[in-house]
């Protein structure tokens, strides 16, 4: 029972790092990575809790990167969390989230929705990690959207009225920083990006050339069909395969069951065969 992608209150998840581990344990998890956005602050608590539950714990992080003007998420696993260069890069990515959130708030105000910035900040446990998730929650709570998905399709999604273009770190810099910290670099949820077949191949080729290791063949609530497609894509590009629930909170249908991802198709080479930490 393996899950190598999930979130806590350190970024935009609803559970504390310890609570994430407890829930994963209840679900039968035996190997877990906590992968908060751009932040490793939850790893120490999660690791201690995982030891109590006999779960093999793997250091993780999900880095927000920009590739050819698009936002692509890169998961780092099994790295040295004290690596100064990696921590520097993460601090750089975090910088700018508050300004971006102010801009999102201003755009919503132009649509007659006032108080969104303060409201979303109030929901973020860690203000420097304010994300669109917090805006979505606030919009739902205040009757501006039916649910989280609706908040993204009405206001927050790419190209929508409150979307703010943001420069994250360069994808290559993120991959190099993960490798420099002796970790493995993984393309997160490839099935979620709105890319043409050619752009997708280019992304995978470039990622391989940078020394990237794997892609998520299973993410969240994706279907068998996605797993089979991305198992083939991974094989074609010589990439290892990873799995992750992308869990944020209970009742969020886009996330899978925390701690218990489906099995990889047999042609996959699992990324966990290359972990150093035990
Ligand atoms: P940000 O890092 O602020 O751009 O926020 C991105 C986060 O918003 C992702 O990590 C997801 O948790 C969430 N998200 C992005 N797009 C959607 C969507 N269409 N529906 C629901 N949640 C989304
Ligand atoms: Mn998120
Ligand atoms: Mn992501
Ligand atoms: Mn995620």
């Amino acid at each position: 029972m393996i899950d190598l992608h999930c979130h806590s209150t350190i970024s935009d998840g609803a559970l504390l790092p310890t609570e994430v581990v407890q829930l994963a344990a209840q679900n039968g998890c035996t190997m877990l990575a906590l992968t908060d956005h751009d932040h490793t602050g939850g790893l120490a608590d999660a690791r201690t809790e995982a030891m109590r539950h006999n779960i093999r714990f793997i250091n993780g992080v999900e880095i927000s990167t920009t590739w050819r003007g698009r936002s692509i998420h890169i998961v780092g696993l099994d790295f040295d969390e004290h690596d100064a260069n990696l921590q520097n890069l993460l601090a750089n990515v975090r910088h700018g989230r508050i300004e971006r959130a102010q801009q999102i708030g201003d755009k919503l105000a132009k649509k007659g929705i006032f108080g969104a910035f303060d409201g979303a900040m109030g929901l973020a446990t860690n203000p420097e990690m304010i994300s669109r998730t917090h805006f979505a929650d606030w919009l739902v709570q205040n009757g501006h959207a039916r649910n989280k998905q609706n908040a993204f399709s009405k206001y927050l999604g790419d190209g929508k009225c409150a979307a703010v273009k943001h420069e994250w770190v360069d994808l290559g810099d993120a991959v190099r920083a993960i490798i420099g910290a002796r970790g493995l670099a993984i393309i997160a949820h490839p099935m979620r990006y709105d890319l043409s077949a050619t752009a997708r191949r280019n992304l995978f080729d470039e990622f391989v050339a940078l020394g990237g290791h794997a892609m998520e063949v299973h993410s969240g609530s994706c279907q068998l069909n996605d797993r089979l497609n991305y198992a083939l894509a991974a094989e074609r590009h010589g990439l290892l395969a990873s799995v992750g629930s992308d869990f944020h909170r209970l009742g969020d249908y886009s996330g899978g069951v925390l701690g218990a991802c489906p099995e990889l198709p047999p042609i996959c080479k699992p990324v966990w065969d290359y972990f150093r930490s035990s």
Side-chain angles (χ1 to χ4, degrees):
M1 291 294 232
I2 298 176
D3 189 346
L4 301 173
H5 184 150
C6 61
H7 298 270
S8 75
T9 47
I10 294 291
S11 61
D12 59 349
L15 304 181
L16 292 167
T18 50
E19 293 170 335
V20 169
V21 175
Q22 286 157 12
L23 181 57
Q26 275 174 34
N27 292 342
C29 183
T30 55
M31 191 195 295
L32 182 73
L34 177 67
T35 56
D36 275 304
H37 297 287
D38 313 321
H39 209 304
T40 59
L43 298 184
D45 282 358
R47 187 182 308 111
T48 307
E49 189 64 22
M51 276 194 287
R52 285 201 195 112
H53 295 275
N54 257 327
I55 293 176
R56 183 173 173 195
F57 185 78
I58 307 296
N59 282 347
V61 69
E62 182 179 17
I63 307 182
S64 315
T65 82
T66 299
W67 177 74
R68 300 189 184 180
R70 295 166 178 281
S71 170
I72 301 287
H73 287 177
I74 300 293
V75 164
L77 293 177
D78 201 30
F79 50 83
D80 170 10
E81 72 187 283
H82 303 295
D83 183 87
N85 200 42
L86 177 63
Q87 288 301 339
N88 237 328
L89 176 121
L90 294 178
N92 282 339
V93 201
R94 293 197 293 268
H95 183 83
R97 269 194 184 266
I98 292 180
E99 289 82 346
R100 170 190 184 237
Q102 278 161 343
Q103 290 167 11
I104 294 174
D106 292 347
K107 288 201 168 189
L108 287 168
K110 284 201 181 115
K111 293 283 161 189
I113 297 174
F114 299 100
F117 174 74
D118 289 338
M121 283 298 264
L123 295 177
T125 312
N126 186 359
E128 82 173 328
M129 289 311 298
I130 176 87
S131 91
R132 286 184 292 168
T133 304
H134 303 113
F135 278 94
D137 288 345
W138 184 87
L139 286 165
V140 174
Q141 283 173 18
N142 289 275
H144 300 292
R146 282 194 310 282
N147 52 41
K148 191 174 169 192
Q149 209 56 46
N150 183 238
F152 275 89
S153 58
K154 252 169 111 177
Y155 302 107
L156 301 167
D158 297 337
K160 306 295 176 189
C161 62
V164 174
K165 265 250 173 231
H166 194 73
E167 250 331 284
W168 304 105
V169 289
D170 175 65
L171 180 138
D173 290 341
V175 172
R176 280 186 287 270
I178 292 166
I179 294 173
R182 304 182 64 213
L184 299 166
I186 293 100
I187 299 182
H189 43 66
M191 53 296 283
R192 281 226 323 249
Y193 305 122
D194 183 20
L195 296 170
S196 69
T198 314
R200 204 173 289 275
R201 267 201 312 277
N202 290 341
L203 170 65
F204 297 159
D205 283 342
E206 211 174 292
F207 181 71
V208 168
L210 286 162
H213 301 88
M215 73 167 81
E216 287 180 352
V217 159
H218 167 79
S219 171
S221 54
C222 86
Q223 299 298 302
L224 177 63
N225 195 33
D226 278 321
R227 285 197 284 285
L228 295 175
N229 275 335
Y230 287 93
L232 288 172
E235 196 204 25
R236 228 177 285 130
H237 292 268
L239 287 166
L240 303 169
S242 187
V243 296
S245 64
D246 207 357
F247 175 87
H248 285 75
R249 64 177 64 229
L250 283 167
D252 181 353
Y253 79 92
S254 64
V257 178
L258 174 68
C261 292
E263 268 187 53
L264 282 173
I267 60 161
C268 291
K269 291 198 169 70
V271 70
W272 49 88
D273 287 349
Y274 294 79
F275 292 161
R276 291 172 297 110
S277 59
S278 54

